[in-house]
Amino acid sequence: MFILSLCDVPEVLEVLQIVEVIIMAFRIAAPIILIVSGMITLMNTIKSGNEDLLAKSKKVLINKIIAAVLIFFVPLLVELIIRVAGGDTDYKNCININESTINSAYSSNANRYMDSAKSNLSRSDYDRAQSSINKITDEDLKKKYQDRLDEIGKLIDESNGSNGSSGNGGYNNTTTRYSGGGNYGNNTTTRYSGGGNGNGSGNGSSGQKTTTSSKTMAGTYYLGDSRTNGLASTLGSNENVIAKDGGNYNDFVTHTSTLKSKLKNSTGNYNIVLNYGVNDLGNVNKYCEGYKSLANTIGSNHKVYVVSVNPMNDSTKWNATNASINSFNSSMKSCISSVSNITYCDVNSTASNDKWVKDYLSSDGLHYNSNGYKYIHSKILSCIG
């Protein structure tokens, strides 16, 4: 855990930026109100012709003008004192907060977490870095950090994937796993059923593929992010995962290329389950067009299923809310409704938000516990039919 200056915490800076706007509005509005009210009082007194009241009104107006000047200039004086007395301390970040300041704070967070992730090969620090990068609004800077994080992700995947040789398969971006050996990790995974001595490094024989509940389908491919990787422990032998922790729209594009290569080399028909969105809810239009393009290019013999983005715990700090999730789902459902070989699987509304939080979500508020993944998987299978 990193101990940061209060003014180096981006969430604090975002709140302080709002406070600055409120203070600026007050600095402008309050003097105007004071001066105008004083002048109105003076004008009314002049009309009355009362000399004593006129003298008092003049004093009141002068006092209000002084108060107005103080209200407007005192914050500037305080800012100047802080700048001079504060030197080069981080607390200067709390003055004149702007988009650049906030981007710098998120960049600083991302750097810290990426350094830790690279040093410790920590998936949790990788996820924290990803969360900070997602909040950077400077697209060039965001891409720079994302490229660096992707390289660190590969190191983490390679490190965890190397454990697979002992039959305890780890995370690996391009892992092929077979039944018959070892527990598996997540990230991009493809697996088949069959006999043989399969293990975490994928040395088993492929054997005979089994079928889904639909007799015409050879199996199912699940494409998505860390929530999709979390489904891995619930999947059957003919269900294959192509996913990446922190996966976003760009990863969807990469994953579809991998999928098309696999479909090209296969004679079977497959269900394609798409489970993206929680990491970049603002890209619903891109996802929709990408989903429709995928459905049109892979052929009608394959069936595409779009899974709703499912609830999270709003009390946890992630770059998403249930309100934005619901908006994403509504837009997605409407957008794909006219495509014949795409089916929308509404898993989200099959349970109340309270039940999701109480029974199915993990402690981090974004991912699911084993019961949650089993529940989601069962609803997807019901949708596939």
Side-chain angles (χ1 to χ4, degrees), residues 142-284:
K142 187 174 186 176
K143 184 179 185 304
K144 174 184 174 182
Y145 279 94
Q146 188 63 58
D147 290 344
R148 180 183 167 196
L149 182 64
D150 289 344
E151 292 301 316
I152 294 173
K154 290 177 183 178
L155 294 176
I156 296 173
D157 294 336
E158 290 170 1
S159 172
N160 290 332
S162 65
N163 295 329
S165 60
S166 65
N168 296 316
Y171 299 87
N172 194 303
N173 269 340
T174 55
T175 301
T176 302
R177 58 186 170 84
Y178 304 87
S179 63
N183 299 320
Y184 43 84
N186 58 20
N187 279 341
T188 307
T189 305
T190 305
R191 60 189 176 87
Y192 300 92
S193 65
N197 59 344
N199 56 32
S201 60
N203 295 323
S205 58
S206 60
Q208 179 65 40
K209 295 181 184 178
T210 57
T211 61
T212 62
S213 58
S214 175
K215 294 181 180 180
T216 61
M217 293 296 175
T220 301
Y221 281 102
Y222 289 78
L223 278 64
D225 47 35
S226 58
R227 285 178 159 190
T228 310
N229 277 322
L231 285 170
S233 62
T234 70
L235 301 184
S237 58
N238 63 326
E239 296 178 290
N240 318 297
V241 175
I242 304 174
K244 177 184 175 182
D245 287 1
N248 54 29
Y249 176 76
N250 291 333
D251 295 306
F252 160 71
V253 174
T254 301
H255 295 163
T256 56
S257 296
T258 303
L259 172 69
K260 290 176 183 178
S261 296
K262 294 182 180 297
L263 295 180
K264 183 178 180 180
N265 296 323
S266 174
T267 58
N269 301 328
Y270 284 86
N271 298 310
I272 313 301
V273 177
L274 304 176
N275 190 31
Y276 295 90
V278 73
N279 294 311
D280 51 348
L281 291 164
N283 281 334
V284 62

Side-chain angles (χ1 to χ4, degrees), residues 60-76:
V60 170
L61 177 59
I62 292 171
N63 289 337
K64 287 187 176 184
I65 291 173
I66 293 172
V69 171
L70 290 175
I71 289 172
F72 188 82
F73 285 104
V74 165
L76 292 177

Side-chain angles (χ1 to χ4, degrees), residues 4-14 16 93 105-106 109:
L4 304 177
S5 154
L6 181 66
C7 296
D8 200 30
V9 180
E11 291 82 4
V12 172
L13 293 180
E14 289 176 336
L16 290 178
N93 289 344
Y106 277 121
N109 269 9

